[in-house]
Amino acid sequence: GLAPLRGWLFPGLDQRLAAAPALVSAAPAARPYAAAAKTAKKPSQKSRKEETKKKPVTRRRPLMSKPVDDVYLTWYYERPSYNVEEAVGMLKKFQELDFTHPKQYVYINVTLDMALQKKKKVDPFASTVLLPHRFTDETNKVLVFTENEQEAEIARENGAAVVGGVELIKWILEDEIQVDFYVAVPAIIPKLIPLRNKLRRKFPNTKRNSLGHDIPKMLQLYREGLEYTVEDERLIETRIARV
């Protein structure tokens, strides 16, 4: 590698090398085989435990209950918690300070304990609840399945968006009819089996209170009710009010 550059880098180097041939040793012969690289030994489990014991454990000091100043490091103190009345009062106060819209929504985050006794968990689910105080003028579109003309008239009087029988199946499968929820009377359920895969969890069901004889009650629940879903296995995030 030095041959083309040695005259430029080291003037006279070629003469000195020629004058002392005994000092220049021949290159070693190439080996006809390759030596296998030695694999490094993995540390045993015992040595790992010893290393972890040697490492100093950094421990935080116990959290103090309440700061005495307006400026403080948050991780040195316990996170404050408030009851519902205090929290709502604070939201109203903040609304006046930052000039946000007074009709903005209030959201709630609920963390559920989904564990059972036998090392199993409750599957995530969705449900609808009728709140005691409505906070929005929006109503959901509800379809009522019935073949009884008297029941159909009751459904129309109570705000059903669509009322009908088996003739609606084709339009639902072809997405010609799209509503938010579906309720039905028990007599028609055997005829609605073709819609089970299409509607999935919105298929009328007694557990969801979407299958029964009390049409006005079912319509009120699904027209005015709040639907919530359990996400990330145990978390509910939904709006519950306005400021």
Side-chain angles (χ1 to χ4, degrees):
L2 291 175
L5 299 176
R6 64 190 180 189
W8 177 65
L9 289 175
F10 304 103
L13 179 61
D14 49 352
Q15 288 89 352
R16 289 199 296 272
L17 289 174
L23 297 176
V24 181
S25 57
R31 275 191 281 178
Y33 61 89
K38 291 184 179 180
T39 55
K41 290 184 178 179
K42 293 183 179 179
S44 62
Q45 193 173 1
K46 186 177 180 181
S47 60
R48 287 177 187 170
K49 289 182 180 179
E50 290 176 355
E51 288 180 4
T52 52
K53 285 181 181 179
K54 291 177 183 178
K55 292 180 180 179
V57 180
T58 56
R59 294 183 181 180
R60 280 187 175 180
R61 65 178 69 179
L63 296 176
M64 294 176 277
S65 59
K66 193 175 181 181
V68 295
D69 202 350
D70 293 338
V71 181
Y72 57 93
L73 298 173
T74 55
W75 56 83
Y76 281 152
Y77 298 92
E78 295 178 359
R79 188 174 183 179
S81 60
Y82 308 96
N83 59 38
V84 177
E85 292 182 4
E86 286 180 299
V88 171
M90 293 172 68
L91 285 175
K92 291 181 177 180
K93 184 179 178 181
F94 295 154
Q95 182 269 325
E96 295 173 359
L97 294 173
D98 58 17
F99 303 104
T100 53
H101 199 279
K103 289 189 177 182
Q104 64 179 322
Y105 288 114
V106 177
Y107 290 80
I108 186 172
N109 294 351
V110 183
T111 303
L112 303 177
D113 182 5
M114 305 284 276
L116 297 177
Q117 294 180 354
K118 296 184 177 181
K119 296 182 179 179
K120 292 183 179 180
K121 289 185 178 181
V122 181
D123 294 330
F125 59 92
S127 186
T128 303
V129 61
L130 191 63
L131 297 178
H133 303 285
R134 296 196 66 227
F135 57 89
T136 177
D137 297 330
E138 303 168 3
T139 55
N140 300 314
K141 293 181 179 179
V142 184
L143 183 149
V144 177
F145 286 110
T146 180
E147 292 181 324
N148 184 300
E149 187 55 39
Q150 188 177 357
E151 290 176 338
E153 188 60 32
I154 293 173
R156 294 188 192 97
E157 290 175 357
N158 285 270
V162 182
V163 183
V166 292
E167 72 277 1
L168 300 178
I169 295 177
K170 176 184 176 182
W171 304 111
I172 295 172
L173 290 174
E174 295 177 357
D175 293 327
E176 293 293 333
I177 294 178
Q178 293 185 353
V179 295
D180 299 308
F181 297 102
Y182 302 82
V183 300
V185 294
I188 199 174
I189 278 295
K191 301 178 182 180
L192 301 180
I193 299 302
L195 291 175
R196 187 177 292 276
N197 292 333
K198 176 73 174 179
L199 302 184
R200 296 186 180 181
R201 65 180 181 84
K202 290 189 177 182
F203 189 83
N205 191 321
T206 52
K207 290 183 180 179
R208 299 183 184 276
N209 298 315
S210 57
L211 175 63
H213 295 284
D214 196 341
I215 295 175
K217 185 178 179 180
M218 291 189 297
L219 279 171
Q220 184 186 16
L221 173 63
Y222 284 98
R223 286 185 75 246
E224 303 176 4
L226 174 72
E227 185 184 27
Y228 63 89
T229 305
V230 179
E231 300 175 355
D232 296 331
E233 295 187 349
R234 59 175 185 165
L235 182 65
I236 297 175
E237 295 180 349
T238 184
R239 59 187 186 182
I240 57 167
R242 291 185 188 268
V243 174

